[in-house]
Amino acid sequence: VAQRPASPAKEVHKLKHELAMVQQRVSRLKDGHGQLQQEAVACRNQLNAAEKAAEMARTEEQKASLEYQAYMETMEKRHVDVEGSLCEALRRNCCLARQLISAQEASAVGEKRLEASEESAAVLRSQMEAAEGQYVAAMAILCSETLRLREHREQLAKGPLTTS
């Protein structure tokens, strides 16, 4: 069975309706395309901002890296300076220790010499006391002999001794 053609007015109305539908779709697509374009622009703006932030972050990272490198070089130099100062201090301590040992040895030798001098002085004092005693004894003998000789001279001066 063959279909009967619809009336031209219905056909026109149907076509107008389809055209309106298509136009609405096109309009919706255009609106959607506009929204997509706005989103794309917003995304591009965000991407540009992110790229600028990333570039600034890279610059800051490079700056921080250079500052860290300079800091580490300074710390290494200070470390070397501190090690040098420590070595110098150790050298001085060793020198002072040697001088102290030498002074202690010299002090010990001086103490031994002092002890020897004190012992020698004691021996000399004892010898001097003995010599003084001998001197006193010798003087006593000399005085006694002098007195005896005087008496003898006086008797000789008085005359010869008579033996009875």
Side-chain angles (χ1 to χ4, degrees):
V1 181
Q3 276 190 345
R4 182 171 150 205
S7 73
K10 276 188 179 182
E11 189 74 29
V12 168
H13 179 63
K14 187 178 173 185
L15 285 175
K16 279 185 179 181
H17 179 66
E18 282 183 33
L19 179 61
M21 295 286 280
V22 168
Q23 284 176 342
Q24 276 182 346
R25 273 183 168 173
V26 168
S27 178
R28 276 191 231 133
L29 285 175
K30 281 184 182 179
D31 288 345
H33 180 68
Q35 287 176 351
L36 286 176
Q37 282 183 330
Q38 287 176 352
E39 286 181 30
V41 167
C43 284
R44 269 191 229 113
N45 289 340
Q46 288 177 349
L47 179 62
N48 287 338
E51 286 175 345
K52 285 181 184 178
E55 184 61 33
M56 287 176 59
R58 278 192 291 275
T59 302
E60 288 297 317
E61 186 268 334
Q62 287 174 347
K63 181 181 172 188
S65 177
L66 291 173
E67 288 174 356
Y68 178 74
Q69 186 178 7
Y71 172 79
M72 289 306 292
E73 287 172 0
T74 301
M75 287 298 107
E76 188 173 323
K77 184 180 182 304
R78 286 183 183 168
H79 180 75
V80 168
D81 290 345
V82 167
E83 281 183 346
S85 297
L86 181 59
C87 288
E88 182 60 28
L90 288 173
R91 268 189 235 112
R92 287 181 184 170
N93 282 347
C94 289
C95 181
L96 290 173
R98 280 189 225 107
Q99 290 174 353
L100 177 62
I101 289 169
S102 177
Q104 288 174 336
E105 289 172 351
S107 176
V109 167
E111 286 179 20
K112 287 180 183 177
R113 284 183 183 163
L114 179 62
E115 287 176 15
S117 294
E118 287 173 348
E119 288 174 8
S120 176
V123 167
L124 287 174
R125 207 174 291 116
S126 172
Q127 289 174 352
M128 190 173 87
E129 287 172 1
E132 194 174 275
Q134 289 173 355
Y135 173 75
V136 168
M139 286 303 284
I141 291 172
L142 181 65
C143 288
S144 169
E145 281 298 309
T146 302
L147 189 59
R148 190 182 63 76
L149 286 174
R150 268 192 198 155
E151 286 175 0
H152 184 64
R153 196 179 342 142
E154 285 176 8
Q155 279 184 358
L156 285 176
K158 286 184 183 179
L161 286 175
T162 53
T163 24
S164 3

